[in-house]
Amino acid sequence: MGRDSAFLRRHRGQVLVLCAFCNGTAMPLTLFRALESAPQLRARPNASAEGALDITIYGTVWRLLLWTVGIALLEADAKSRSSADAPAKPSFVRLARAALLNTNTIGSLAGLAIALGPPGLRVAMFGGPLTFLREACANVAKASHAMLLLTLGAALWPIPVASDWRAVSYVCAAKLVVMPLTTLALLRLGMDFGLGAIGSLVVAIEGCVPSALQISMMVQTVGQDSRTCTVICFWQHVVALVTMTTFVAVALSSLF
């Protein structure tokens, strides 16, 4: 038990980022699309567009925070491990560049520009001359999550030592059980402030999905060993097959 506590203390920055930042766009969109066939959502004609817009905005804002606050936490964690005496001083300019000039943020902003931009652009993308581009992007997006999981699974070799598994279980429990329960408890408060059923469902979905896969890459960018983070991300996605189904079902039945 002492070794596990020491492990969690040495990786406090990674643990905080893993618990705080979820897969904010790809997986929630997939889940919401799957839920559109539910009777509760079929009765709402604009549910699909409203949910997709909410998830896109949520994911974009969360990604900006991930590449500013999140990367700062990881850099502070790396700095504290390399030199206990020197305080971490992340560059604001570099953090802003990382947050704004990465493909995820640019892609999200491009999607919002299509949704909220001039009607001619949407006509071109949906049934117009640029339909092929939208369909190509959609096909690549469907494959990207599976390929990331394949990469994470391959990175599990060699099998981690037994002490790693208990630390993995702590993070999985916090992210996939404690966070969803807290989110469900706060949903009613959100609806009282006018969040609405669709918005509340989006928040419930965002609250129960696993950590963002790109956190492993971020750990590497700050010069740290990303193996433990990779193992945690992989097993979160495995366990989430059960926990997500349970919590989304509870949210859907309680909100509609």
Side-chain angles (χ1 to χ4, degrees):
M1 186 70 179
R3 290 183 62 189
D4 295 324
S5 299
F7 170 84
L8 294 175
R9 285 197 299 271
R10 289 197 304 269
H11 298 83
R12 186 174 299 173
Q14 292 186 40
V15 171
L16 288 174
V17 174
L18 284 166
C19 291
F21 294 98
C22 64
N23 184 322
T25 305
M27 187 171 287
L29 277 175
T30 303
L31 282 173
F32 194 85
R33 296 298 187 199
L35 293 173
E36 288 177 359
S37 59
Q40 298 94 322
L41 294 185
R42 283 207 309 265
R44 297 170 178 262
N46 297 323
S48 178
E50 182 181 348
L53 181 60
D54 289 346
I55 291 171
T56 302
I57 294 174
Y58 188 105
T60 301
V61 173
W62 217 233
R63 192 172 295 110
L64 289 171
L65 291 173
L66 174 62
W67 282 96
T68 50
V69 177
I71 196 70
L73 288 170
L74 293 176
E75 286 189 333
D77 190 37
K79 189 69 174 180
S80 65
R81 295 195 60 184
S82 61
S83 176
D85 298 327
K89 296 180 180 179
S91 167
F92 175 77
V93 175
R94 193 179 70 78
L95 295 180
R97 187 185 300 116
L100 298 174
L101 300 181
N102 68 81
T103 55
N104 293 312
T105 300
I106 293 173
S108 297
L109 292 177
L112 287 174
I114 295 172
L116 304 176
L121 183 58
R122 290 189 292 276
V123 171
M125 295 291 291
F126 294 87
L130 295 180
T131 301
F132 76 96
L133 178 61
R134 179 181 60 83
E135 292 180 351
C137 292
N139 290 331
V140 172
K142 292 175 183 177
S144 63
H145 201 75
M147 296 307 294
L148 278 171
L149 283 175
L150 174 63
T151 304
L152 286 171
L156 281 174
W157 185 89
I159 301 300
V161 296
S163 60
D164 286 340
W165 293 109
R166 184 168 293 184
V168 168
S169 68
Y170 291 162
V171 178
C172 286
K175 182 61 179 171
L176 301 178
V177 179
V178 177
M179 291 287 288
L181 286 174
T182 304
T183 302
L184 289 177
L186 294 175
L187 280 183
R188 285 300 174 185
L189 181 63
M191 294 190 70
D192 291 341
F193 283 92
L195 184 57
I198 299 298
S200 298
L201 179 60
V202 168
V203 172
I205 293 173
E206 297 283 359
C208 70
V209 293
S211 301
L213 295 171
Q214 60 186 302
I215 294 175
S216 294
M217 178 193 68
M218 295 172 65
V219 172
Q220 290 181 333
T221 64
V222 298
Q224 292 292 294
D225 182 6
S226 64
R227 178 169 168 72
T228 301
C229 185
T230 300
V231 172
I232 291 174
C233 285
F234 176 84
W235 286 110
Q236 277 195 55
H237 282 73
V238 173
V239 176
L241 294 174
V242 176
T243 58
M244 279 194 313
T245 304
T246 302
F247 286 112
V248 169
V250 171
L252 190 62
S253 62
S254 62
L255 291 173
F256 296 92

